Amino acid sequence: MRPEFPGLWKVIESRRLLWLMGLTFALIVTFQYIELPNTISSLFSSTKLPFSRNSSSLTRDSQHHKSNLAPAMAPSYPQKNASLVDDSGGGDDEEVEVDKIFDNNGNATAPNVSPSQVKENATAPTVSPSQVKENATAPTVSPSQVKENATAPAVSPSQVKENATAPAVLPSQVKENATAPAASAKPPAALPLVKENATAPVASAKSPASLPIPNPSPVKDNATSHVEDKNSTKTDVPGASPVVRFVPDVKKYSKTPDSRVMSISEMSKQLRRNRITHNRLAKKPKWVTKPDLELLQAKYEIENAPIDDKDPLLYAPLYRNVSTFKRSYELMEKMLKVYVYKEGDKPIMHSPILRGIYASEGWFMKLIESNNNKFVTKDASKAHLFYLPFSSRMLEVTLYVQDSHSHRNLVQYLKDYIDFISVKYPFWNRTSGADHFLAACHDWAPSETRNHFAKSIRALCNSDVKEGFVFGKDTSLPETFVRDPKKPLSNIGGKSASQRPTLAFFAGKPDHGYLRPILLSYWGNNKDPDLKIFGKLPRTKGNKNYLQFMKTSKYCICAKGFEVNSPRVVEAIFYDCVPVIISDNFVPPFFEVLNWESFALFVAEKDIPNLKKILMSVSERRYRQMQMRVKRVQKHFLWHVQPEKYDMFHMILHSVWFNRVFQISV
């Protein structure tokens, strides 16, 4: 560098340095300016709404996103006996059986299962809740309310809160970490209210076009609906009916012992609780009638009945409260009026079966439809109760398709009948069927009638707690084996207590359910000479072998078959034999009135190995007392060609009357 220019060179170098520094600063500022939004968004991603690069819901439906919307409110519902309710005003008066529904390939289709009560970790296909709370994933839903960092591509819930992503689901109420992946190609109506960690997997692409629109109600904890079709996609179904008035709640028949057992004392507690909360068992009528007021008066008089335990016809220890029963029976005889529907074609309607194990429903139908029945009125405006005269046995014989394993057409027949009378008359709709009753003895009756008779009073032989029997509303119908309809009381009675050498007796088909093989494995084949436990006895004229054992045994074993009920309970009483009931969760007949533990023994299924020890622990004095009481209670379990006071016809009618009286609320 030439010495004459030292100052100029220094100026040029300074300018270059400043230019480089400015360029560097500009590049840094430019880079920071470009990256700043992402940096800021990452800093607040835990509390603010993130923009998912894989989601399009926030761009398509941004008009629905309001940060100041009220949070979704999820009502509380009971966990058991889940049911779907028509959201359009149909109420909660219908249910449907869904345990055996198959597609064309023989695969179970989950969408037909329309449970309405889903709680905590339940997997429910085709869920349509309207309120999704806290971390619920449900893409392809169009939310109307999304709060704080919810990523919901095409979501349509009405209220989605905090980090909710909802794929192909129309949730009405989904709470806390509920995930509902893609729905069926033919999506049924949505299932509301999924609470806390509920996951709704992919539903079947072959789901039916129409299913009920459910009201929110929970399904039991950790219930899982299986994924039927992994490749199903959500498409619109033209012409699909939006509402089918069902309320499903069906349990598959268990083939093994159920660990959840309700003892007789627990049943009594449940009955008392339901009496106290009777308003929950029946809806208030839409309008009040004179018979309603008469029932209220009867209820007051029964609750305040004077103490009367000296009636020679009523032995007080046999009853829960003999004074209450006596006053209730007197009021029934004085005021009860029943309207019997004349509609319906034979053989399902108005065709009583009077012989065999289904005779109870037939005898009751025959006697109440007789011309001289004092309880029947032709003026429906005066009726306290309405009888539905169908035979569950004839329903099965007439309509069931052999080996089809489907009862849908049977259920549909009953639904059509209810639809018909509810259109023709105002009585069913006035109370949602709460003042209507039926008597059914077939094993399928609980599932067939649980559908459309949810509010009605059901007298059922198959009175199983686990099959939806409702204490204080339903009543247990005695299952009777009538051999000669012309002489229903032939061969009644048995030997005295001192002339019964056999400790206990049982005979029956060994392959009839899971329990009898267990009983036979411990006590069959003469393993103990005191216990006569057999399979099916050889047939003799008049079944004399069987009857002789019943008449000469101290205890008659009443072991369940496929269902909890057995005609042996009434047979034991008929032949003066103390019944030993081995059938978990069986509600014995006339349970709301009789004190069963005063004249019968109940042995848990798990205690079969200790059967003899249990029987031998009963003292001779106690046994004779129980056998005497069996003779006294016997009149309540007898059919007469012409009904007599306190007989089985009157006791069935009284149980229905008694339950209705304690349900009435206006």
Side-chain angles (χ1 to χ4, degrees):
M1 179 85 49
R2 296 177 64 177
E4 57 265 33
F5 299 109
L8 180 62
W9 174 252
K10 290 181 180 179
V11 171
I12 293 172
E13 290 299 324
S14 299
R15 289 180 179 178
R16 285 181 180 179
L17 181 61
L18 290 174
W19 183 84
L20 288 174
M21 291 175 61
L23 180 61
T24 303
F25 180 78
L27 290 173
I28 293 173
V29 170
T30 303
F31 178 79
Q32 290 180 345
Y33 177 80
I34 293 172
E35 293 296 317
L36 188 58
N38 290 337
T39 305
I40 294 174
S41 65
S42 63
L43 290 173
F44 297 94
S45 61
S46 61
T47 57
K48 298 297 181 182
L49 186 62
F51 287 80
S52 172
R53 296 181 181 181
N54 298 322
S55 168
S56 59
S57 68
L58 297 179
T59 57
R60 289 198 301 265
D61 297 325
S62 60
Q63 66 273 19
H64 298 296
H65 297 179
K66 306 293 183 181
S67 61
N68 58 348
L69 293 177
M73 299 300 293
S76 174
Y77 294 89
Q79 292 186 8
K80 297 185 179 179
N81 296 326
S83 60
L84 286 188
V85 186
D86 181 3
D87 219 6
S88 62
D92 54 355
D93 55 353
E94 293 187 322
E95 301 181 291
V96 68
E97 178 178 10
V98 293
D99 57 326
K100 293 184 180 178
I101 299 175
F102 303 92
D103 61 21
N104 295 332
N105 297 323
N107 299 318
T109 56
N112 251 356
V113 181
S114 50
S116 55
Q117 302 180 347
V118 180
K119 283 192 75 174
E120 298 184 11
N121 301 319
T123 357
T126 57
V127 181
S128 70
S130 61
Q131 299 179 347
V132 182
K133 293 186 70 176
E134 296 183 15
N135 301 318
T137 26
T140 24
V141 186
S142 62
S144 59
Q145 298 179 349
V146 181
K147 291 191 69 175
E148 296 182 351
N149 293 328
T151 311
V155 182
S156 75
S158 60
Q159 295 179 342
V160 182
K161 286 192 66 178
E162 296 184 15
N163 301 320
T165 322
V169 181
L170 295 172
S172 59
Q173 294 178 345
V174 181
K175 290 187 67 178
E176 295 183 13
N177 303 316
T179 309
S184 166
K186 295 181 180 180
L191 188 87
L193 183 57
V194 180
K195 294 183 69 178
E196 295 185 12
N197 303 315
T199 307
V202 181
S204 170
K206 298 178 181 179
S207 57
S210 60
L211 270 184
I213 291 182
N215 254 351
S217 48
V219 170
K220 224 169 129 185
D221 294 354
N222 302 314
T224 306
S225 292
H226 298 288
V227 176
E228 305 302 338
D229 190 348
K230 294 182 180 179
N231 299 320
S232 65
T233 56
K234 185 175 187 295
T235 59
D236 292 333
V237 182
S241 174
V243 178
V244 178
R245 293 169 54 240
F246 290 163
V247 177
D249 179 284
V250 171
K251 183 189 82 164
K252 206 168 187 176
Y253 293 152
S254 57
K255 302 301 181 184
T256 57
D258 193 337
S259 59
R260 299 167 298 170
V261 178
M262 181 178 284
S263 67
I264 292 296
S265 60
E266 290 171 336
M267 291 181 187
S268 298
K269 292 177 182 177
Q270 186 63 50
L271 177 62
R272 288 193 293 270
R273 283 194 293 265
N274 285 7
R275 287 277 184 250
I276 295 172
T277 59
H278 63 275
N279 286 337
R280 299 179 186 176
L281 300 180
K283 287 185 176 180
K284 294 181 180 180
K286 292 182 179 179
W287 62 89
V288 179
T289 63
K290 182 180 178 181
D292 292 337
L293 300 179
E294 292 173 346
L295 289 175
L296 284 175
Q297 179 62 28
K299 178 181 177 182
Y300 175 81
E301 293 188 33
I302 293 170
E303 290 177 331
N304 295 276
I307 297 176
D308 184 1
D309 56 359
K310 305 300 182 183
D311 192 323
L313 297 178
L314 301 176
Y315 184 57
L318 297 176
Y319 306 94
R320 293 178 177 275
N321 187 320
V322 67
S323 302
T324 296
F325 169 66
K326 182 179 180 181
R327 186 58 183 148
S328 176
Y329 192 94
E330 291 171 348
L331 291 172
M332 179 191 75
E333 288 189 311
K334 178 181 178 181
M335 68 171 60
L336 176 61
K337 294 300 176 185
V338 179
Y339 181 80
V340 180
Y341 286 104
K342 303 302 179 185
E343 289 73 17
D345 297 329
K346 295 181 178 181
I348 297 175
M349 315 296 292
H350 312 288
S351 296
I353 296 177
L354 304 179
R355 186 191 301 271
I357 62 174
Y358 304 108
S360 287
E361 66 178 27
W363 274 83
F364 183 83
M365 183 188 299
K366 172 183 177 292
L367 295 175
I368 201 168
E369 289 192 321
S370 62
N371 294 328
N372 58 348
N373 193 300
K374 67 177 183 179
F375 296 105
V376 175
T377 178
K378 294 182 179 180
D379 185 355
S381 64
K382 297 179 180 179
H384 305 90
L385 292 167
F386 295 80
Y387 174 57
L388 303 165
F390 79 92
S391 166
S392 62
R393 170 59 174 166
M394 292 309 301
L395 181 69
E396 181 254 339
V397 169
T398 307
L399 297 182
Y400 178 67
V401 179
Q402 191 68 26
D403 299 324
S404 67
H405 306 292
S406 173
H407 306 163
R408 285 189 176 186
N409 57 331
L410 285 68
V411 174
Q412 185 62 40
Y413 180 91
L414 296 177
K415 177 186 180 300
D416 292 342
Y417 184 77
I418 293 301
D419 289 344
F420 176 75
I421 63 170
S422 63
V423 170
K424 186 174 181 180
Y425 303 105
F427 314 121
W428 176 276
N429 292 330
R430 188 182 76 89
T431 62
S432 299
D435 53 359
H436 288 57
F437 75 99
L438 58 93
C441 212
H442 197 278
D443 289 350
W444 300 346
S447 60
E448 292 168 353
T449 58
R450 184 171 51 222
N451 181 5
H452 303 289
F453 300 83
K455 299 297 180 183
S456 301
I457 301 170
R458 303 179 302 166
L460 301 170
C461 288
N462 186 10
S463 51
D464 188 349
V465 172
K466 299 302 180 185
E467 292 293 333
F469 184 92
V470 180
F471 292 97
K473 179 181 76 70
D474 299 330
T475 185
S476 179
L477 181 67
E479 183 175 357
T480 58
F481 192 158
V482 177
R483 293 176 170 82
D484 186 354
K486 295 182 179 179
K487 299 177 181 179
L489 302 183
S490 59
N491 294 315
I492 189 173
K495 300 292 185 179
S496 64
S498 60
Q499 295 178 309
R500 292 179 175 259
T502 302
L503 178 62
F505 164 70
F506 172 82
K509 294 180 181 179
D511 58 347
H512 208 66
Y514 66 82
L515 185 70
R516 294 181 185 179
I518 299 174
L519 179 65
L520 290 168
S521 68
Y522 278 100
W523 303 107
N525 299 322
N526 258 347
K527 286 188 171 65
D528 190 298
D530 293 330
L531 301 180
K532 303 300 181 182
I533 309 297
F534 306 106
K536 190 173 182 180
L537 289 175
R539 184 175 294 277
T540 59
K541 185 177 181 180
N543 206 18
K544 290 182 179 179
N545 286 345
Y546 184 84
L547 299 184
Q548 190 63 24
F549 274 116
M550 295 281 280
K551 289 172 176 285
T552 59
S553 298
K554 290 184 175 181
Y555 300 100
C556 290
I557 306 299
C558 308
K560 66 177 288 184
F562 288 118
E563 304 297 343
V564 295
N565 51 303
S566 170
R568 289 167 182 78
V569 176
V570 176
E571 281 182 329
I573 296 172
F574 194 83
Y575 298 120
D576 299 344
C577 185
V578 175
V580 178
I581 299 173
I582 309 178
S583 181
D584 291 348
N585 300 312
F586 170 59
V587 183
F590 314 135
F591 184 71
E592 50 280 313
V593 168
L594 296 180
N595 176 20
W596 272 84
E597 290 179 294
S598 70
F599 59 89
L601 293 178
F602 291 85
V603 176
E605 295 173 11
K606 65 180 178 63
D607 291 332
I608 286 178
N610 301 319
L611 179 59
K612 184 176 181 180
K613 183 179 179 180
I614 293 171
L615 298 180
M616 293 298 293
S617 67
V618 180
S619 67
E620 181 66 18
R621 180 177 178 274
R622 170 66 175 158
Y623 162 71
R624 289 177 178 270
Q625 182 186 60
M626 294 178 72
Q627 206 244 2
M628 176 270 294
R629 291 174 177 177
V630 165
K631 290 183 177 182
R632 293 205 172 196
V633 82
Q634 189 182 75
K635 62 175 170 288
H636 296 319
F637 295 91
L638 303 179
W639 290 114
H640 298 91
V641 177
Q642 295 296 327
E644 297 182 5
K645 189 170 186 176
Y646 298 129
D647 70 354
M648 191 160 351
F649 169 76
H650 286 95
M651 289 297 290
I652 295 171
L653 194 59
H654 174 267
S655 288
V656 176
W657 148 270
F658 193 72
N659 285 352
R660 179 57 184 158
V661 164
F662 280 91
Q663 283 187 58
I664 188 66
S665 179
V666 298

